[in-house]
Amino acid sequence: MIDATIPCEQTFVLTQEDFDRFARLSGDHNPIHVDPEFSARTSFGQTVSHGMLLFSVVRSLLAQNWPGSTLKNQNLIFPAPAYAGKTLELVVEEQRRDGPQLYLKATITGPDGETCLAGECQLTLPAREAS
Amino acid sequence: MNLKRFDALNEGQTAHLERRFSATDIQEWCDLCQLDQAWSGVPEPLIAGLFSCLLGEDLPGHGTNYLKQAMTFHATAEADEPLQASVSIRRLRRDKALVNLATTCTGRDGRLICDGEALVLFQH
Protein backbone atom coordinates (compact mmCIF):
# COMPACT_ATOMS: atom_id res chain seq x y z
CA MET A 1 0.00 0.00 0.00
CA ILE A 2 2.70 2.43 1.03
CA ASP A 3 5.01 1.40 -1.78
CA ALA A 4 2.62 2.33 -4.56
CA THR A 5 4.10 2.18 -8.04
CA ILE A 6 5.71 5.49 -8.89
CA PRO A 7 5.37 7.22 -11.24
CA CYS A 8 1.68 6.52 -11.66
CA GLU A 9 -0.21 7.62 -14.71
CA GLN A 10 -3.80 7.98 -15.79
CA THR A 11 -5.29 8.97 -19.13
CA PHE A 12 -8.75 10.52 -19.00
CA VAL A 13 -11.29 12.58 -20.93
CA LEU A 14 -13.61 15.12 -19.32
CA THR A 15 -17.02 15.90 -20.80
CA GLN A 16 -19.32 18.93 -20.67
CA GLU A 17 -21.48 16.82 -18.36
CA ASP A 18 -18.49 16.57 -15.95
CA PHE A 19 -18.07 20.38 -16.06
CA ASP A 20 -21.81 20.79 -15.34
CA ARG A 21 -21.68 18.34 -12.42
CA PHE A 22 -18.66 20.08 -10.90
CA ALA A 23 -20.41 23.45 -11.35
CA ARG A 24 -23.41 22.16 -9.39
CA LEU A 25 -21.17 20.73 -6.64
CA SER A 26 -18.94 23.77 -6.30
CA GLY A 27 -21.52 26.48 -6.99
CA ASP A 28 -19.15 27.91 -9.62
CA HIS A 29 -21.43 28.42 -12.63
CA ASN A 30 -19.06 30.75 -14.47
CA PRO A 31 -20.17 30.64 -18.14
CA ILE A 32 -16.62 29.84 -19.30
CA HIS A 33 -17.20 26.37 -17.78
CA VAL A 34 -20.89 25.75 -18.48
CA ASP A 35 -22.10 27.88 -21.40
CA PRO A 36 -20.78 26.63 -24.78
CA GLU A 37 -22.45 29.48 -26.71
CA PHE A 38 -20.88 32.17 -24.49
CA SER A 39 -17.52 30.38 -24.49
CA ALA A 40 -17.45 30.21 -28.30
CA ARG A 41 -17.18 34.02 -28.30
CA THR A 42 -14.22 34.10 -25.88
CA SER A 43 -10.53 33.69 -26.71
CA PHE A 44 -10.79 30.04 -25.59
CA GLY A 45 -13.43 29.32 -28.26
CA GLN A 46 -15.11 26.67 -26.11
CA THR A 47 -15.81 25.80 -22.48
CA VAL A 48 -12.84 24.97 -20.24
CA SER A 49 -12.59 22.75 -17.18
CA HIS A 50 -12.72 24.19 -13.68
CA GLY A 51 -9.16 24.02 -12.33
CA MET A 52 -10.48 22.27 -9.25
CA LEU A 53 -12.10 19.56 -11.37
CA LEU A 54 -8.56 18.79 -12.61
CA PHE A 55 -7.38 18.82 -8.98
CA SER A 56 -10.23 16.36 -8.23
CA VAL A 57 -8.75 13.90 -10.73
CA VAL A 58 -5.32 14.28 -9.07
CA ARG A 59 -6.74 13.89 -5.57
CA SER A 60 -8.67 10.75 -6.44
CA LEU A 61 -5.59 9.13 -7.99
CA LEU A 62 -3.65 9.92 -4.79
CA ALA A 63 -6.44 8.32 -2.73
CA GLN A 64 -6.37 5.20 -4.90
CA ASN A 65 -2.59 4.84 -4.70
CA TRP A 66 -2.07 5.79 -1.07
CA PRO A 67 -5.29 4.84 0.76
CA GLY A 68 -5.59 6.25 4.23
CA SER A 69 -3.06 9.04 3.60
CA THR A 70 -3.78 12.66 4.52
CA LEU A 71 -3.20 15.63 2.22
CA LYS A 72 -1.24 18.28 4.15
CA ASN A 73 -0.18 20.77 1.50
CA GLN A 74 -1.10 21.32 -2.11
CA ASN A 75 0.21 23.86 -4.61
CA LEU A 76 -1.41 24.16 -8.02
CA ILE A 77 -0.81 26.16 -11.18
CA PHE A 78 -3.05 26.17 -14.26
CA PRO A 79 -0.91 27.29 -17.22
CA ALA A 80 -3.19 26.16 -20.08
CA PRO A 81 -6.94 25.51 -20.43
CA ALA A 82 -8.28 21.91 -20.45
CA TYR A 83 -11.11 21.30 -22.92
CA ALA A 84 -13.96 18.80 -22.95
CA GLY A 85 -13.55 15.76 -25.16
CA LYS A 86 -9.75 15.92 -25.29
CA THR A 87 -7.45 13.21 -23.98
CA LEU A 88 -5.57 14.40 -20.92
CA GLU A 89 -2.69 12.63 -19.20
CA LEU A 90 -1.98 12.79 -15.49
CA VAL A 91 1.44 11.76 -14.20
CA VAL A 92 2.32 11.65 -10.49
CA GLU A 93 6.00 11.40 -9.54
CA GLU A 94 7.75 11.14 -6.21
CA GLN A 95 10.05 14.01 -5.29
CA ARG A 96 11.23 12.83 -1.90
CA ARG A 97 10.17 10.94 1.17
CA ASP A 98 10.86 11.81 4.79
CA GLY A 99 9.49 9.15 7.15
CA PRO A 100 5.71 9.16 6.68
CA GLN A 101 5.85 12.41 4.66
CA LEU A 102 5.69 11.85 0.93
CA TYR A 103 6.36 14.76 -1.46
CA LEU A 104 4.85 14.34 -4.91
CA LYS A 105 4.66 16.23 -8.16
CA ALA A 106 1.57 15.98 -10.39
CA THR A 107 1.23 17.11 -13.98
CA ILE A 108 -1.79 17.06 -16.33
CA THR A 109 -0.85 17.42 -19.97
CA GLY A 110 -3.18 18.14 -22.88
CA PRO A 111 -3.18 16.67 -26.40
CA ASP A 112 -0.63 19.15 -27.78
CA GLY A 113 1.76 18.68 -24.86
CA GLU A 114 0.51 21.77 -23.05
CA THR A 115 0.50 21.74 -19.24
CA CYS A 116 -3.06 22.16 -17.91
CA LEU A 117 -2.16 21.59 -14.26
CA ALA A 118 1.13 21.34 -12.41
CA GLY A 119 1.14 20.74 -8.71
CA GLU A 120 3.20 19.68 -5.76
CA CYS A 121 1.81 18.12 -2.63
CA GLN A 122 2.74 16.64 0.72
CA LEU A 123 0.93 13.49 1.79
CA THR A 124 1.17 11.99 5.26
CA LEU A 125 1.10 8.21 4.94
CA PRO A 126 -0.74 6.12 7.51
CA ALA A 127 1.41 4.45 10.19
CA ARG A 128 2.68 1.07 9.01
CA GLU A 129 0.82 -1.79 10.55
CA ALA A 130 2.99 -4.02 12.74
CA SER A 131 3.82 -7.20 10.87
CA MET B 1 -5.12 45.88 -21.38
CA ASN B 2 -8.35 47.27 -19.92
CA LEU B 3 -7.83 47.94 -16.22
CA LYS B 4 -11.12 49.66 -15.45
CA ARG B 5 -12.41 46.81 -13.27
CA PHE B 6 -8.91 46.11 -11.89
CA ASP B 7 -8.69 49.71 -10.70
CA ALA B 8 -11.90 49.29 -8.72
CA LEU B 9 -10.19 46.64 -6.53
CA ASN B 10 -8.62 47.52 -3.17
CA GLU B 11 -6.14 45.76 -0.93
CA GLY B 12 -8.00 44.33 2.07
CA GLN B 13 -11.22 43.84 0.10
CA THR B 14 -12.80 40.52 1.14
CA ALA B 15 -15.56 38.20 -0.08
CA HIS B 16 -17.17 35.34 1.85
CA LEU B 17 -19.49 32.46 1.27
CA GLU B 18 -21.07 29.86 3.50
CA ARG B 19 -21.65 26.29 2.51
CA ARG B 20 -22.25 22.80 3.87
CA PHE B 21 -21.44 19.66 1.92
CA SER B 22 -23.88 16.83 2.55
CA ALA B 23 -23.01 13.13 2.42
CA THR B 24 -24.86 13.14 -0.93
CA ASP B 25 -22.57 15.90 -2.27
CA ILE B 26 -19.51 13.93 -1.18
CA GLN B 27 -20.81 10.77 -2.84
CA GLU B 28 -21.52 12.80 -6.01
CA TRP B 29 -17.88 13.95 -6.00
CA CYS B 30 -16.70 10.33 -5.65
CA ASP B 31 -19.01 9.32 -8.53
CA LEU B 32 -17.73 12.19 -10.67
CA CYS B 33 -14.16 11.00 -10.04
CA GLN B 34 -15.20 7.36 -10.62
CA LEU B 35 -13.72 6.66 -7.21
CA ASP B 36 -14.86 3.37 -5.79
CA GLN B 37 -14.19 4.04 -2.11
CA ALA B 38 -15.97 5.76 0.75
CA TRP B 39 -14.56 9.19 1.58
CA SER B 40 -14.28 10.34 5.14
CA GLY B 41 -15.04 14.08 5.45
CA VAL B 42 -15.14 16.67 2.67
CA PRO B 43 -12.65 16.06 -0.17
CA GLU B 44 -10.07 18.86 -0.44
CA PRO B 45 -10.99 19.75 -4.06
CA LEU B 46 -14.47 20.76 -2.82
CA ILE B 47 -12.85 23.07 -0.26
CA ALA B 48 -10.63 24.44 -3.03
CA GLY B 49 -13.76 24.84 -5.17
CA LEU B 50 -15.14 27.32 -2.62
CA PHE B 51 -12.15 29.60 -3.26
CA SER B 52 -12.47 29.13 -7.00
CA CYS B 53 -16.17 29.98 -6.77
CA LEU B 54 -15.50 33.18 -4.80
CA LEU B 55 -12.70 34.27 -7.15
CA GLY B 56 -14.67 33.58 -10.33
CA GLU B 57 -18.08 34.81 -9.23
CA ASP B 58 -17.38 37.49 -6.66
CA LEU B 59 -13.87 38.85 -6.09
CA PRO B 60 -12.45 39.78 -8.57
CA GLY B 61 -15.43 38.17 -10.41
CA HIS B 62 -16.21 37.08 -13.98
CA GLY B 63 -13.21 37.27 -16.27
CA THR B 64 -10.81 36.09 -13.57
CA ASN B 65 -8.02 33.90 -14.92
CA TYR B 66 -6.98 31.51 -12.15
CA LEU B 67 -3.21 31.07 -12.25
CA LYS B 68 -2.16 29.61 -8.93
CA GLN B 69 -3.47 28.27 -5.61
CA ALA B 70 -1.49 27.11 -2.58
CA MET B 71 -3.27 25.42 0.33
CA THR B 72 -2.41 23.93 3.71
CA PHE B 73 -5.03 21.62 5.19
CA HIS B 74 -5.20 21.82 8.98
CA ALA B 75 -8.27 19.68 9.68
CA THR B 76 -10.77 17.60 7.72
CA ALA B 77 -14.16 19.25 7.22
CA GLU B 78 -17.03 16.95 8.15
CA ALA B 79 -20.18 16.30 6.16
CA ASP B 80 -22.86 18.90 7.02
CA GLU B 81 -20.34 21.06 8.92
CA PRO B 82 -21.06 24.76 8.31
CA LEU B 83 -18.09 26.11 6.37
CA GLN B 84 -17.13 29.69 5.74
CA ALA B 85 -14.71 30.41 2.91
CA SER B 86 -13.15 33.80 2.34
CA VAL B 87 -10.78 35.44 -0.12
CA SER B 88 -9.07 38.70 0.73
CA ILE B 89 -6.95 40.89 -1.54
CA ARG B 90 -3.37 41.11 -0.26
CA ARG B 91 -1.54 42.69 -3.17
CA LEU B 92 -2.42 44.39 -6.45
CA ARG B 93 0.19 44.48 -9.23
CA ARG B 94 -1.28 46.88 -11.77
CA ASP B 95 1.58 46.59 -14.32
CA LYS B 96 0.76 42.90 -14.79
CA ALA B 97 -2.94 42.99 -13.80
CA LEU B 98 -2.16 40.43 -11.09
CA VAL B 99 -4.03 40.03 -7.81
CA ASN B 100 -2.70 38.06 -4.81
CA LEU B 101 -5.34 36.93 -2.34
CA ALA B 102 -5.31 35.15 1.01
CA THR B 103 -7.76 32.21 1.00
CA THR B 104 -9.20 30.73 4.20
CA CYS B 105 -11.82 28.13 5.09
CA THR B 106 -13.07 27.70 8.64
CA GLY B 107 -15.57 25.26 10.09
CA ARG B 108 -17.70 24.92 13.19
CA ASP B 109 -16.77 27.42 15.93
CA GLY B 110 -14.24 28.98 13.60
CA ARG B 111 -11.86 26.02 13.53
CA LEU B 112 -9.31 26.34 10.75
CA ILE B 113 -9.80 23.85 7.91
CA CYS B 114 -7.58 25.32 5.22
CA ASP B 115 -5.56 28.43 4.52
CA GLY B 116 -3.44 29.50 1.61
CA GLU B 117 -2.94 31.96 -1.23
CA ALA B 118 -4.29 32.50 -4.71
CA LEU B 119 -2.89 34.37 -7.69
CA VAL B 120 -5.22 35.55 -10.46
CA LEU B 121 -4.93 37.62 -13.63
CA PHE B 122 -7.69 40.20 -14.00
CA GLN B 123 -7.70 42.16 -17.26
CA HIS B 124 -10.18 42.77 -20.05
Side-chain angles (χ1 to χ4, degrees):
Chain A
M1 179 198 297
I2 287 172
D3 298 311
T5 307
I6 292 183
C8 47
E9 300 176 6
Q10 182 184 344
T11 298
F12 63 101
V13 177
L14 297 171
T15 64
Q16 184 60 50
E17 168 67 13
D18 294 327
F19 297 176
D20 294 346
R21 288 171 75 183
F22 193 80
R24 284 196 294 273
L25 264 178
S26 67
D28 183 351
H29 297 279
N30 197 312
I32 194 63
H33 306 305
V34 297
D35 185 342
E37 203 174 298
F38 167 88
S39 302
R41 299 193 301 267
T42 68
S43 57
F44 295 119
Q46 55 187 296
T47 56
V48 304
S49 174
H50 298 77
M52 295 312 171
L53 176 58
L54 299 177
F55 173 39
S56 295
V57 177
V58 175
R59 183 65 186 97
S60 58
L61 186 66
L62 299 181
Q64 284 168 316
N65 278 274
W66 294 279
S69 61
T70 309
L71 183 64
K72 298 297 290 176
N73 290 297
Q74 178 73 58
N75 294 333
L76 297 165
I77 59 169
F78 305 107
Y83 298 111
K86 302 289 184 193
T87 300
L88 303 172
E89 187 183 31
L90 164 61
V91 177
V92 175
E93 298 162 283
E94 179 175 330
Q95 290 189 305
R96 65 193 173 93
R97 190 180 296 218
D98 182 7
Q101 305 302 321
L102 181 60
Y103 298 84
L104 300 166
K105 180 180 161 189
T107 310
I108 293 178
T109 308
D112 298 320
E114 73 279 21
T115 302
C116 302
L117 172 151
E120 291 179 329
C121 71
Q122 179 186 354
L123 276 186
T124 305
L125 301 173
R128 274 178 199 272
E129 290 176 18
S131 54
Chain B
M1 193 155 72
N2 181 350
L3 292 171
K4 196 173 169 196
R5 289 172 67 207
F6 184 94
D7 285 339
L9 300 173
N10 293 299
E11 289 179 4
Q13 202 174 345
T14 301
H16 303 272
L17 69 77
E18 287 182 16
R19 180 76 199 266
R20 292 167 199 252
F21 291 101
S22 67
T24 308
D25 292 331
I26 295 166
Q27 186 56 51
E28 163 66 2
W29 182 83
C30 292
D31 292 346
L32 178 58
C33 295
Q34 299 175 329
L35 192 58
D36 187 21
Q37 57 178 258
W39 198 281
S40 136
V42 178
E44 297 85 354
L46 293 180
I47 303 292
L50 299 176
F51 305 137
S52 152
C53 184
L54 279 168
L55 297 168
E57 295 282 357
D58 205 340
L59 184 70
H62 283 191
T64 293
N65 187 348
Y66 207 172
L67 300 179
K68 204 168 173 180
Q69 177 74 56
M71 291 169 284
T72 297
F73 295 97
H74 298 272
T76 301
E78 293 160 17
D80 295 322
E81 181 173 358
L83 302 175
Q84 187 179 65
S86 69
V87 301
S88 182
I89 296 177
R90 286 287 181 263
R91 189 172 168 213
L92 292 163
R93 283 184 271 170
R94 192 178 193 277
D95 57 327
K96 294 178 177 169
L98 292 173
V99 187
N100 293 75
L101 303 101
T103 59
T104 308
C105 178
T106 57
R108 188 175 284 115
D109 301 324
R111 74 185 186 116
L112 184 60
I113 304 290
C114 174
D115 62 1
E117 287 176 48
L119 175 67
V120 304
L121 176 70
F122 193 58
Q123 61 172 5
H124 301 278

